Amino acid sequence: MLKLNFKIALRNLFRNKGFSLINIGGLAIGLACCMLLLLYVEYELSYDKQFKAIDRNYLVRVNLNVNNHIITEAASPPNMTKFALQDVPGIAYISRMSLGLNQGAKLFSRQDHKFKLNAIWVEPSFLKIFDYHFIYGDPATALNDPNAALLTASTAKKLFGDENPIGKTIKYDNRKLLKVTAVIQDLPKNQTNQFEVLQTWAFYEEEYPQQKNNWGISCITFIQLKNNNSFAVADA
């Protein structure tokens, strides 16, 4: 019976070739579109899931009252972090990250190798909040030196080739020597904070002294809570 039905189906397909082609082609395109959409949704939902404590990591947003309308900004005051650990319960780690015009492609060089690289400035606690995969160096000490520089693997390859770059120097903006203290694996594309070089917030304040004791909205602030039960109290 099954064999007979199969033969009848084949005869109908060959008898109406144009109609069959349209139906089969439409079904194939529909299935392919569904699979692509599912892959896209899976990719979007996987953003930042590489970090173990992502469910306890938060971006601080600031509510501003502008002409009696509340506007929520992703930026926050740099000076806030000095008091947040003391006054806000439940915070395990907090870190500032550079924002806007002060963040982006900077000139880095070593001998004749010169590149414009995407650099951001953060505090040492940034490496507590986000656990990157270290190839060289120690996350506990990588950003302790104000003149430290953490590189991604492809950036280290550009500047040093196959050499181990730890302890060696690169020049920032053709004027400031930085010491390479760590190398991490290249960042996946589905990760929010993209960079090629991590530099220290202490160095950032040297470059931009106006960021010291600044209550203006000019940085990004990340926190990691001790546990998720702390969220309601910390948020309040």
Side-chain angles (χ1 to χ4, degrees):
M1 186 67 180
L2 184 61
K3 187 176 180 181
L4 179 62
N5 288 336
F6 184 68
K7 284 183 178 179
I8 293 171
L10 284 177
R11 285 173 186 167
N12 287 331
L13 286 174
F14 283 109
R15 189 177 300 148
N16 304 287
K17 292 180 182 177
F19 186 73
S20 299
L21 182 64
I22 291 171
N23 277 279
I24 294 170
L27 177 63
I29 292 170
L31 287 172
C33 290
C34 285
M35 290 178 69
L36 287 172
L37 284 171
L38 287 172
L39 287 171
Y40 174 76
V41 170
E42 182 187 25
Y43 177 80
E44 290 295 314
L45 290 175
S46 69
Y47 250 76
D48 297 323
K49 295 294 175 64
Q50 303 90 350
F51 302 114
K52 294 176 183 177
I54 194 63
D55 61 323
R56 294 187 284 119
N57 292 348
Y58 293 89
L59 167 70
V60 176
R61 292 180 177 268
V62 175
N63 291 330
L64 301 175
N65 191 329
V66 180
N67 297 325
N68 295 320
H69 292 284
I70 299 298
I71 297 175
T72 302
E73 295 284 350
S76 53
N79 220 31
M80 180 186 67
T81 58
K82 296 179 182 179
F83 305 96
L85 277 173
Q86 302 170 21
D87 301 336
V88 180
I91 294 179
Y93 304 106
I94 188 166
S95 174
R96 292 168 286 189
M97 184 179 82
S98 55
L99 170 71
L101 295 175
N102 296 334
Q103 178 175 314
K106 307 293 181 183
L107 181 64
F108 292 86
S109 59
R110 176 182 175 264
Q111 298 173 355
D112 294 330
H113 304 291
K114 296 184 178 182
F115 300 95
K116 284 273 192 175
L117 301 172
N118 180 27
I120 60 176
W121 287 273
V122 296
E123 296 182 83
S125 51
F126 186 83
L127 298 178
K128 299 278 189 181
I129 298 172
F130 300 105
D131 50 318
Y132 297 101
H133 189 280
F134 276 68
I135 300 172
Y136 300 113
D138 183 353
T141 58
L143 296 178
N144 286 356
D145 184 338
N147 294 325
L150 179 151
L151 310 178
T152 61
S154 59
T155 303
K157 182 80 172 176
K158 285 180 183 178
L159 291 167
F160 293 94
D162 295 325
E163 296 179 49
N164 182 341
I166 298 300
K168 296 175 181 176
T169 58
I170 57 176
K171 188 173 283 189
Y172 168 81
D173 197 29
N174 275 334
R175 57 186 171 83
K176 182 76 172 181
L177 287 176
L178 304 176
K179 183 171 74 173
V180 178
T181 55
V183 177
I184 62 172
Q185 281 187 350
D186 286 339
L187 309 180
K189 297 298 182 184
N190 57 341
Q191 190 167 294
T192 302
N193 299 317
Q194 293 290 326
F195 58 85
E196 294 171 286
V197 183
L198 273 188
Q199 295 176 261
T200 68
W201 189 266
F203 180 69
Y204 181 61
E205 289 185 335
E206 288 181 20
E207 292 289 297
Y208 304 98
Q210 67 272 22
Q211 293 299 329
K212 292 182 180 180
N213 299 316
N214 182 7
W215 281 103
I217 299 176
S218 59
C219 77
I220 298 290
T221 303
F222 294 104
I223 65 169
Q224 185 178 104
L225 297 178
K226 294 175 182 176
N227 56 68
N228 277 320
N229 296 329
S230 309
F231 177 78
V233 177
D235 188 43

